[in-house]
Amino acid sequence: MLDGDNTIHYLGHVRMMGAVQPFISGAISKTVNLPEEVTVEDVEQLHIDAWKMGIKAVAVYRDNCKVAQPLSTTKSSIEVDADPDVVPAGSEAEAHARELNRKIAGLEAALAHEQSRTTETVVVGAVRERLPRRRKSSTFAFRVADCEGYVTVGEYEDGRPGEVFMKVSKQGSTLAGIMDAFSISVSLGLQHGVPLATYVRKYTNMRFEPAGITDDADLRIATSLVDYIFRRLAVDYLPLDERAELGVLSTSERMQPTLPGVEETATQSSGVVDAIDPVVATVLDGSADDTGAQAASVPLAVPEPADPSGSQFQPVSRAEPRDAPYCYQCGNAMQRAGSCYVCASCGTTSGCS
């Protein structure tokens, strides 16, 4: 229920509709609220006035003509003096006014607090970091099986890759179009903050044709075009420890004596004489004299056989062959042999045995 003290006269509703009606082609959906003491003649005169003003339709509602209504034109039971600052002490109106003042003061304090706070820019979603108009780029050519192509990488000022252009096969072919569209998506991802390591993790080891031997001395085997391209980008732009975690290493790095993830274990000596007896040294030097017989009778220390279950024999952990390709003859997973791969099932090699 809404209690109003300054209600609009019902003829004011009619005059407002009469002012607006010339600018509207249809009727106005507006109800004229009549007081409860209105007479039949007043309602009749209201319709006549509406007709004279050119109103196309009018709806009337008399107060208290229904059991329940959303609007009431009766005055509130709590009467306040003409001056809002002067209210009877201890009255309900005073308590109501005090409560309103308290709420208003709280809202003003909250508003002042929000205005005093420093405005911080809140970034919603990814923001594109565009490359400068003039930037450095590097281009490398590649060959995977019988497919040749070129990759151009545009860089930011700090050396990070920001765009990738891939050109393969003949212009206008299906493969060339797909790689062009793929280049645009990768470039937009790099400019919106997607790390290069994420692309390397997702696209390496994907297997589809063309695949096979490459002309790159650092990456001899590729399981697909995107596998080679992102391995090449990883070698060029990612640090060694991160590439080792992703399983992307060059040929020179794989041929090191100690591969990443393989720790050497030293076998301790057991039962070996630390210091050679002078008599034994004399016999070994071949200058045996009268003490030769005594030296010959001295038993040499024989090393005791080591216990294979001892702590000195620990299994050597080896790097997981994440990038091992499948054999092109039988389909089994190949094993690394130096910088190449060999199939343990049929003996097929990757071409550099």
Side-chain angles (χ1 to χ4, degrees):
M1 293 291 291
L2 298 177
D3 297 334
D5 296 334
N6 298 320
T7 59
I8 302 175
H9 194 272
Y10 61 89
L11 289 181
H13 294 228
V14 178
R15 293 189 179 98
M16 284 189 292
M17 289 191 291
V20 177
Q21 185 64 70
F23 305 98
I24 300 177
S25 60
I28 302 175
S29 176
K30 173 70 177 71
T31 302
V32 178
N33 297 316
L34 301 174
E36 185 178 0
E37 60 272 8
V38 70
T39 62
V40 177
E41 289 76 11
D42 294 335
V43 177
E44 179 185 4
Q45 187 60 39
L46 184 147
H47 284 83
I48 294 174
D49 294 340
W51 169 72
K52 290 181 179 179
M53 295 179 188
I55 300 175
K56 297 183 178 182
V58 62
V60 297
Y61 178 80
R62 188 178 66 88
D63 192 19
N64 290 333
C65 67
K66 291 184 178 181
V67 177
Q69 61 183 14
L71 180 63
S72 175
T73 59
T74 58
K75 293 185 178 181
S76 175
S77 59
I78 303 176
E79 296 291 342
V80 183
D81 294 344
D83 188 358
D85 296 332
V86 180
V87 293
S91 62
E92 187 177 355
E94 181 187 13
H96 183 64
R98 188 180 297 107
E99 180 69 17
L100 290 178
N101 292 334
R102 185 184 63 81
K103 292 181 179 180
I104 293 173
L107 292 175
E108 290 179 350
L111 178 61
H113 176 69
E114 291 295 331
Q115 292 177 348
S116 63
R117 293 177 57 184
T118 57
T119 57
E120 300 178 356
T121 303
V122 179
V123 179
V124 179
V127 178
R128 182 178 182 182
E129 182 183 2
R130 294 182 178 272
L131 288 165
R133 294 183 59 86
R134 300 180 65 89
R135 61 262 196 175
K136 296 181 180 180
S137 63
S138 60
T139 303
F140 62 87
F142 67 90
R143 180 185 181 92
V144 177
D146 57 348
C147 180
E148 298 180 355
Y150 300 88
V151 175
T152 302
V153 184
E155 301 176 352
Y156 290 101
E157 295 180 354
D158 56 358
R160 293 179 294 116
E163 62 181 3
V164 180
F165 297 100
M166 308 175 191
K167 297 294 182 181
V168 297
S169 188
K170 295 182 179 180
Q171 190 66 26
S173 63
T174 302
L175 181 59
I178 292 176
M179 295 305 291
D180 287 342
F182 182 66
S183 302
I184 295 174
S185 65
V186 173
S187 301
L188 290 176
L190 292 174
Q191 294 177 18
H192 281 82
V194 179
L196 177 60
T198 302
Y199 283 112
V200 175
R201 184 178 297 106
K202 295 298 182 181
Y203 288 113
T204 53
N205 300 326
M206 292 190 68
R207 306 179 189 274
F208 57 87
E209 296 295 333
I213 307 298
T214 71
D215 59 351
D216 193 336
D218 293 331
L219 305 169
R220 299 298 300 170
I221 297 292
T223 58
S224 62
L225 289 179
V226 295
D227 174 71
Y228 169 77
I229 291 173
F230 283 100
R231 284 180 183 276
R232 183 71 261 177
L233 294 177
V235 172
D236 294 340
Y237 292 100
L238 295 182
L240 177 60
D241 54 349
E242 192 170 359
R243 288 191 288 110
E245 181 181 356
L246 296 172
V248 180
L249 299 174
S250 62
T251 302
S252 58
E253 293 167 347
R254 294 182 184 280
M255 297 181 65
Q256 293 179 359
T258 302
L259 297 177
V262 178
E263 300 178 357
E264 294 180 345
T265 57
T267 303
Q268 300 178 359
S269 300
S270 176
V272 178
V273 179
D274 295 334
I276 301 178
D277 189 87
V279 177
V280 177
T282 304
V283 174
L284 295 177
D285 292 339
S287 57
D289 48 9
D290 53 351
T291 62
Q294 299 177 2
S297 62
V298 176
L300 296 178
V302 179
E304 298 178 359
D307 184 10
S309 61
S311 59
Q312 58 187 357
F313 289 92
Q314 298 293 339
V316 179
S317 60
R318 299 189 178 276
E320 180 184 356
R322 301 180 182 179
D323 59 341
Y326 290 108
C327 178
Y328 298 104
Q329 298 294 333
C330 62
N332 293 326
M334 304 179 75
Q335 299 179 359
R336 176 165 293 281
S339 61
C340 302
Y341 294 93
V342 61
C343 179
S345 178
C346 63
T348 303
T349 63
S350 59
C352 51
S353 60

